[in-house]
Structures are given as structure tokens and as C-alpha cells.
Amino acid sequence: MDVTLVPISSARDRDALIRFLTENDFPFHVGTRLTVQDAQERIAGGRFEGPDHAGFWIDAGTAGRVGYAVLDDLADNAPLFDLRLATQYRGQGLGVPVLRALTNYVFTHIPEASRFEGNTRSDNIAMRKSFRRAGFIQEACYRDGWPVSGAAPMASVAYAILRRDWESGTTTPLEWDDPAGL
């Protein structure tokens, strides 16, 4: 499926962002259900645009707008992202094309980026499979690293893709430095 990233303008897209954030639930995010006030605070706080953030609507062919992604830490050599798909578009194979579109954007528009990173909860199997299929490698697992409202924390799993892997179309395996042989 073809995916297009359309830049978000907080001024122009304010109402659409509020609707999207309040009409969908996000079970694998820290804030699973956002209020209008939560959405307004995110917009006013610069979550979707600014020197360190870039937000994009995700358009998927004839389906149209299916979600959004925000790139964070744009001044760093390793930007991160937040991805949210509308409830009705989850489970339809959008994860890999969205990750590829984001990766292409990062490595073609941010020359200092040498790697691109993402995190998810350990139980978000669909996202973890999407990471792998899009060429990302699991680099870390942080036990009890993901807060869960009203429940025990979950493990947070970190993935990344390197610019050189994106350029070559290969995946560099992890090289564990273990001089003690542990």
C-alpha cells in the first residue's frame, strides 16, 4: 500500500487533530484515551511542529487519512517517532509502509541522522513485527520501562535502523561486545 506523509500545521489542523486524538483509543500508548484538554495541550505545547518535532498525517491511498506520526529529537543524530493509527485502520498491514515512509523521510531530509529509533510495549506484537519487516533491529528491552495506567508497568522494546542499512538495503546484525564471555 502506498503511504504519503502530509505535514501537519497546528493552526490549520487543530480541529482535525483534536477529533483524531479524542475519537480513537491508543491501547499501546501511555495515554490510551485522550480528552479534548489533553489534545489541546499537546497542540499548544508544540507537539506537532517546531524545531525538534515534525508531525505528519498518514494518507494511505484510497483509504485517505489513517493516522499520524510525529518525529522527535530532530536536532539529534537519532530521531524517534510516535505513530498513531485510527482504530479502524489497525491490523491492515499499514505498519511496514508507514515505517518505510518515515525512514525515507528521516534519511533524505535530516542529513545528520545516522540512525532512526522507535519504541513500543513488549506486548505490541503487530508493531514489533512491523519493525522487523521494515529493517529495524531490536536493540534493547527495558524491563518495567513502559508505564501502564492502572496496571503494572510493561517492558519497553527499542528498535532502530541505521542510515547505512537503509542506503544498502541490508540489515546489520548486532555485534555484542562481551569481553567477559557472559
Side-chain angles (χ1 to χ4, degrees), residues 86-146:
T87 306
Q88 70 266 30
Y89 294 109
R90 295 181 203 141
Q92 297 185 21
L94 290 166
V96 173
V98 169
L99 286 173
R100 287 184 177 147
L102 290 169
T103 303
N104 290 340
Y105 181 89
V106 165
F107 291 138
T108 57
H109 290 86
I110 306 172
E112 58 277 359
S114 61
R115 49 188 285 117
F116 182 40
E117 302 175 358
N119 295 284
T120 193
R121 276 178 25 178
S122 59
D123 62 338
N124 190 348
I125 303 304
M127 188 65 196
R128 294 180 69 184
K129 286 181 178 182
S130 294
F131 272 126
R132 295 292 302 204
R133 290 179 182 140
F136 285 66
I137 294 289
Q138 180 182 330
E139 294 185 338
C141 179
Y142 304 102
R143 297 174 299 154
D144 290 350
W146 195 286

Side-chain angles (χ1 to χ4, degrees), residues 147-165:
V148 178
S149 181
M154 302 277 309
S156 175
V157 187
Y159 289 81
I161 186 169
L162 303 176
R163 177 184 289 274
R164 68 176 179 257
D165 288 354

Side-chain angles (χ1 to χ4, degrees):
M1 179 176 291
D2 286 333
V3 168
T4 304
L5 302 177
V6 179
I8 290 175
S9 162
S10 293
R12 178 190 67 228
D13 296 319
R14 183 179 187 282
D15 292 341
L17 283 166
I18 291 170
R19 269 192 315 279
F20 180 81
L21 287 167
T22 58
E23 292 175 0
N24 291 281
D25 66 320
F26 305 101
F28 294 108
H29 286 75
V30 174
T32 59
R33 188 77 173 167
L34 300 176
T35 66
V36 170
Q37 182 177 345
D38 294 333
Q40 290 171 336
E41 288 172 0
R42 287 176 186 223
I43 295 165
R47 178 75 187 115
F48 299 95
E49 57 191 346
D52 214 29
H53 308 285
F56 300 93
W57 290 114
I58 300 164
D59 283 350
T62 57
R65 187 179 292 169
V66 298
Y68 79 72
V70 176
L71 299 175
D72 295 313
D73 298 336
L74 296 178
D76 194 357
N77 72 333
L80 296 158
F81 71 92
D82 174 30
L83 169 62
R84 293 175 189 252
L85 294 177
T87 306
Q88 70 266 30
Y89 294 109
R90 295 181 203 141
Q92 297 185 21
L94 290 166
V96 173
V98 169
L99 286 173
R100 287 184 177 147
L102 290 169
T103 303
N104 290 340
Y105 181 89
V106 165
F107 291 138
T108 57
H109 290 86
I110 306 172
E112 58 277 359
S114 61
R115 49 188 285 117
F116 182 40
E117 302 175 358
N119 295 284
T120 193
R121 276 178 25 178
S122 59
D123 62 338
N124 190 348
I125 303 304
M127 188 65 196
R128 294 180 69 184
K129 286 181 178 182
S130 294
F131 272 126
R132 295 292 302 204
R133 290 179 182 140
F136 285 66
I137 294 289
Q138 180 182 330
E139 294 185 338
C141 179
Y142 304 102
R143 297 174 299 154
D144 290 350
W146 195 286
V148 178
S149 181
M154 302 277 309
S156 175
V157 187
Y159 289 81
I161 186 169
L162 303 176
R163 177 184 289 274
R164 68 176 179 257
D165 288 354
W166 172 77
E167 290 172 339
S168 68
T170 61
T171 302
T172 305
L174 287 176
E175 298 176 24
W176 295 102
D177 181 20
D178 187 8
L182 301 176

